[in-house]
Amino acid sequence: MAKQDNVKLPETGMATFHGSERREDRFALPFEIEVSGINSDGEVFHVAVQTRNVSQWGCGFLSPIELKKNDIVAIRVAVPEGPLAIERPPIRFQVVRAEREGNKWAIGAWKMEPDDAWGIELEKITQPQSGGVLLRRRDGGDEADESEDE
Amino acid sequence: MSVVASGPKSAPAGGTRTEKSAGGGAAGVEIAGFPQILFTRTFGDPDMLFVPLLDAARESFNTIERLCERGEKRESAVLLSGMQLASSLLRDSSFSLVARGLAHDNGYTVDLEQGTLLAQTRLFAVVSRRTSFFKVEITGNLNENLFSVRNPVQNMVIMQVEEERLRQPNFFSATLAQECLRTQMEQERLSRIEESIGAQSSQEIHLILTVAGARVPVILRQSEEGRSWDIVDGRGQERIATLAPEFEGPLGSVIQSIKERFEQK
């Protein structure tokens, strides 16, 4: 498989992500996020979860609520305590992977808009995990998958 | 909520889509404020997509009010409802996300904040050996049952259609296309009449009479001195006779009555 680490797509291209595959650094950085959406019963949910890993354009987390592939959720970094805390706006993510893990769901989500979701420079905080996030999607977007690069 | 697949709230279009999936046309669905466009290659024809999209958009629109009643901020409720609508479209494998800015055969815009649906499409019709291919916009409020059909090129409302009619099978490709073309032809005919009136300062009344089974255009044209009325055969602009004087009074009353209606309007 040819490496494409140096391929740079414009931000709109990254958001729609219709290349055959895309790789970017992923960081094992747990912090609290709020995931919001509307469930299959039409009820709104806001759940606070910890990220398992994040990248500039994606994140992984364990959801107590069932999410399906292609569901769209709003994610924002949880507001820290304190008077100077600034609430970050929610950013829309598309669920590209949803797997049952015990009584929860392991979710991989891909950012749909170019706005910065995390408000931090990931590279300055920690080192990327070995390998990266490999996302594949067939042309037309009907098959999305996220898997680790071994 | 499911837009394409048969579901309790969007069942009407479920069967139609299967029958026409081979030639359903491409479309882009824009949800106002949503970062990307939902694109379908095969399900974009208004006969297939308009009604299920209307149902789904209406459900999302109603969700906004429901969420607000439960304490959700309106801005957040609009965002969440838009996500719900996009998710429901993406559950059908014919939909995918594409960047904004691309042209599509059919375009749909759902504005959940304003509660509107706009469809932009092209219709093809043949009426009286005249073939026409023209752009139309169908627009309406999600909480109402009346939609306007506009000609965006001439910036003119062609007609208003009740939702009940929009739900009839093949309404867009068959009925609406024919009606739009008929309306267009009628407007062109009236435009020619106006030009004709403009050239002559006297009053005219145009009639279509069925004479021995044939439709004959007839013009009642007031003479320049404004007293008598000439009866003119509209086919060749040939004067046939003068209207009998005893009919001039009633005809004048009819014209006066119509004038008053227009003045009131």
Side-chain angles (χ1 to χ4, degrees):
Chain A
M1 187 179 297
K3 283 214 167 195
Q4 297 192 1
D5 297 40
N6 297 325
V7 176
K8 293 288 181 190
L9 290 173
E11 298 223 311
T12 52
M14 285 296 288
T16 49
F17 184 52
H18 282 271
S20 58
E21 63 179 52
R22 177 68 194 169
R23 189 190 307 268
E24 64 167 1
D25 287 336
R26 181 161 67 179
F27 301 85
L29 198 60
F31 55 86
E32 191 170 283
I33 56 173
E34 183 188 83
V35 181
S36 304
I38 294 177
N39 67 17
S40 54
D41 296 325
E43 298 300 324
V44 68
F45 63 83
H46 300 278
V47 290
V49 297
Q50 289 274 323
T51 55
R52 286 178 152 180
N53 51 65
V54 293
S55 63
Q56 190 190 342
W57 280 90
C59 68
F61 58 90
L62 206 55
S63 171
I65 289 176
E66 181 179 10
L67 295 173
K68 295 189 173 74
K69 198 165 89 171
N70 287 326
D71 278 354
I72 294 165
V73 291
I75 294 178
R76 70 169 153 207
V77 178
V79 186
E81 298 288 329
L84 296 176
I86 298 170
E87 190 174 88
R88 294 191 67 76
I91 303 287
R92 282 162 281 211
F93 281 70
Q94 183 183 11
V95 174
V96 293
R97 178 172 56 88
E99 290 168 3
R100 192 75 192 242
E101 198 171 296
N103 59 353
K104 294 186 177 180
W105 283 264
I107 302 299
W110 187 253
K111 190 158 63 92
M112 297 181 67
E113 43 199 303
D115 296 356
D116 174 30
W118 315 127
I120 47 175
E121 290 187 56
L122 299 170
E123 296 87 351
K124 291 187 177 176
I125 292 177
T126 183
Q127 292 293 310
Q129 291 179 307
S130 60
V133 182
L134 177 65
L135 286 141
R136 291 193 195 91
R137 180 175 295 182
R138 262 195 235 156
D139 186 33
D142 53 350
E143 284 290 327
D145 190 19
E146 185 187 66
S147 60
E148 283 189 40
D149 187 20
E150 295 298 331
Chain B
M1 179 170 64
S2 171
V3 175
V4 178
S6 296
K9 292 181 181 172
S10 56
T16 313
R17 187 210 161 204
T18 310
E19 290 158 22
K20 296 183 71 178
S21 60
V29 178
E30 177 181 353
I31 300 169
F34 203 73
Q36 293 155 26
I37 299 290
L38 291 128
F39 173 75
T40 175
R41 285 198 188 106
T42 56
F43 191 40
D45 189 286
D47 278 325
M48 301 167 76
L49 186 55
F50 187 89
V51 170
L53 183 61
L54 170 63
D55 288 340
R58 186 170 281 157
E59 190 176 335
S60 292
F61 183 63
N62 293 335
T63 299
I64 294 172
E65 298 307 319
R66 189 163 50 81
L67 296 184
C68 289
E69 284 170 11
R70 296 184 185 184
E72 198 73 33
K73 286 180 185 169
R74 184 164 181 86
E75 188 185 358
S76 172
V78 170
L79 177 90
L80 291 166
S81 297
M83 286 160 38
Q84 181 197 29
L85 178 58
S87 298
S88 67
L89 289 168
L90 287 171
R91 273 180 212 126
D92 185 276
S93 61
S94 71
F95 279 93
S96 58
L97 292 166
V98 299
R100 284 171 170 270
L102 301 171
H104 304 288
D105 294 347
N106 301 288
Y108 300 84
T109 304
V110 179
D111 189 332
L112 293 172
E113 176 72 52
Q114 300 297 322
T116 57
L117 171 64
L118 165 68
Q120 295 164 303
T121 187
R122 290 178 180 180
L123 297 175
F124 170 82
V126 180
V127 173
S128 304
R129 293 190 178 178
R130 174 175 167 172
T131 305
S132 192
F133 191 60
F134 47 95
K135 285 183 179 177
V136 292
E137 291 180 353
I138 302 109
T139 181
N141 290 324
L142 295 172
N143 56 0
E144 292 175 5
N145 297 318
L146 196 62
F147 287 80
S148 293
V149 182
R150 286 180 65 252
N151 179 332
V153 178
Q154 296 175 333
N155 194 23
M156 178 181 68
V157 174
I158 299 169
M159 58 193 295
Q160 292 201 308
V161 190
E162 289 172 353
E163 186 182 326
E164 194 178 317
R165 295 188 68 203
L166 291 171
R167 291 181 177 277
Q168 293 168 357
N170 299 324
F171 174 78
F172 292 89
S173 58
T175 314
L176 183 59
Q178 298 274 320
E179 287 192 18
C180 284
L181 182 51
R182 278 203 189 92
T183 305
Q184 190 178 345
M185 289 167 73
E186 182 64 19
Q187 281 163 346
E188 286 172 2
R189 197 178 69 81
L190 288 170
S191 168
R192 284 196 296 273
I193 290 170
E194 281 170 8
E195 284 171 12
S196 159
I197 289 169
Q200 305 154 13
S201 56
S202 56
Q203 290 188 103
E204 282 190 354
I205 297 173
H206 290 244
L207 308 166
I208 302 289
L209 301 178
T210 304
V211 181
R215 287 163 64 80
V216 180
V218 176
I219 303 165
L220 293 176
R221 183 175 295 148
Q222 198 171 28
S223 63
E224 286 185 13
E225 56 272 25
R227 292 183 182 173
S228 61
W229 288 83
D230 290 338
I231 302 171
V232 178
D233 184 339
R235 292 171 294 192
Q237 295 291 315
E238 180 190 0
R239 182 179 166 280
I240 296 171
T242 302
L243 190 71
E246 62 265 34
F247 297 127
E248 287 175 6
L251 185 59
S253 299
V254 170
I255 293 168
Q256 186 58 35
S257 168
I258 294 169
K259 277 182 181 174
E260 286 170 4
R261 282 290 177 93
F262 271 84
E263 283 166 3
Q264 287 167 10
K265 187 181 171 186

